[in-house]
Amino acid sequence: MDAREMKIKAAAAALEHVEDGMKLGIGTGSTADEFVRLLAEKVAGGMRVEGVPTSERTARLCLELGITLRSLDELPELDLTIDGADELDARLTLIKGGGGALLREKIVACASKKMIVIADETKQVEMLGAFPLPIEVNPFGQTATRIAIERAAHRLGLSGELKLRSSGQDLFHTDGGHLIIDASFGRIPDAEALSAELAAIPGVVEHGLFINIASLAIIAGPAGARTLKPL
């Protein structure tokens, strides 16, 4: 079974949690794309849902496939968000933002009664940090913000390269017009402490640590999909 097949299995298992009439947060990324494609088949067969996309990319795919979309201002309280993750641990603490949509993803997830994470088994780790942590920052003063991030990391015994994300020859900009610093900290033993440190830096708009947000994770591997609840 290749990686895409595992993503499709996870997406299909998550689709079983979607009920007619739901207001859905719809995530961003390759695994979320597979969920959108499967959801579109259900919608074509008569299922009624309204979706709030977490990125312009997801919005385009949903509209192409005939899924009704609303803004989060129109639907400020959602039943369920289904989204992927770049890493997750046994407590269902996540690293997200590899696709650059972490701010909207976190806003939408926190506006939902429940969040289900879908991923292939390569994303499950004992400790977060092998995947660089995306940190969304305001372009104004981004050098000062990077220095503040370095100092915060040092206080927690973390180090590693902080790199502004690029897109071709240009800096990558999020849908909200911000920049992303990818922080290669390595192992992150205390995600809560790092979250608090980053949140206290004025130039940090948001970070990719999702703590106590996910309700379930559906992990797919060669043997099929399994469901995890936070420890």
Side-chain angles (χ1 to χ4, degrees):
M1 186 184 299
D2 64 20
R4 187 183 176 201
E5 288 174 320
M6 288 192 284
K7 291 173 182 178
I8 291 171
K9 277 192 174 293
L15 189 57
E16 295 177 9
H17 293 263
V18 177
E19 300 174 5
D20 190 61
M22 271 190 165
K23 295 174 287 186
L24 292 177
I26 304 176
T28 297
S30 58
T31 310
D33 286 351
E34 301 299 347
F35 171 76
V36 171
R37 293 185 182 100
L38 294 176
L39 177 64
E41 293 177 8
K42 290 284 190 180
V43 168
M47 176 180 276
R48 297 168 299 114
V49 297
E50 293 179 298
V52 173
T54 56
S55 67
E56 299 302 321
R57 162 187 162 171
T58 295
R60 287 191 295 270
L61 181 60
C62 288
L63 291 173
E64 285 173 15
L65 297 177
I67 297 171
T68 299
L69 297 183
R70 298 283 184 261
S71 71
L72 192 59
D73 289 321
E74 291 173 302
L75 298 178
E77 295 181 314
L78 304 174
D79 298 304
L80 173 65
T81 286
I82 295 178
D83 202 351
D86 297 302
E87 282 188 343
L88 71 157
D89 65 14
R91 297 175 62 190
L92 301 194
T93 300
L94 317 174
I95 285 181
K96 288 181 54 57
L102 63 105
L103 174 60
R104 293 189 185 186
E105 287 173 335
K106 192 175 281 189
I107 292 171
V108 169
C110 289
S112 303
K113 295 175 184 175
K114 186 176 182 180
M115 179 191 187
I116 295 177
V117 178
I118 49 176
D120 65 81
E121 64 181 16
T122 64
K123 305 298 177 64
Q124 189 175 6
V125 297
E126 275 190 32
M127 184 179 292
L128 299 177
F131 191 91
L133 176 66
I135 305 170
E136 190 162 342
V137 301
N138 196 296
F140 178 81
Q142 57 89 6
T143 300
T145 301
R146 179 181 55 77
I147 292 169
I149 292 170
E150 287 177 341
R151 289 174 176 165
H154 180 73
R155 287 193 291 272
L156 296 174
L158 301 173
S159 62
E161 183 183 19
L162 303 183
K163 185 177 181 180
L164 273 172
R165 189 178 297 184
S166 59
S167 177
Q169 299 298 314
D170 301 317
L171 290 176
F172 175 87
H173 285 80
T174 69
D175 287 342
H178 305 125
L179 304 176
I180 288 185
I181 293 174
D182 289 308
S184 298
F185 290 137
R187 292 165 69 86
I188 301 172
D190 192 341
E192 289 86 353
L194 180 57
S195 173
E197 287 277 1
L198 294 175
I201 298 170
V204 171
V205 178
E206 191 50 87
H207 57 76
L209 289 168
F210 282 50
I211 301 170
N212 298 324
I213 295 175
S215 311
L216 288 175
I218 297 174
I219 310 297
R226 54 196 171 87
T227 300
L228 301 178
K229 293 184 179 181
L231 290 180

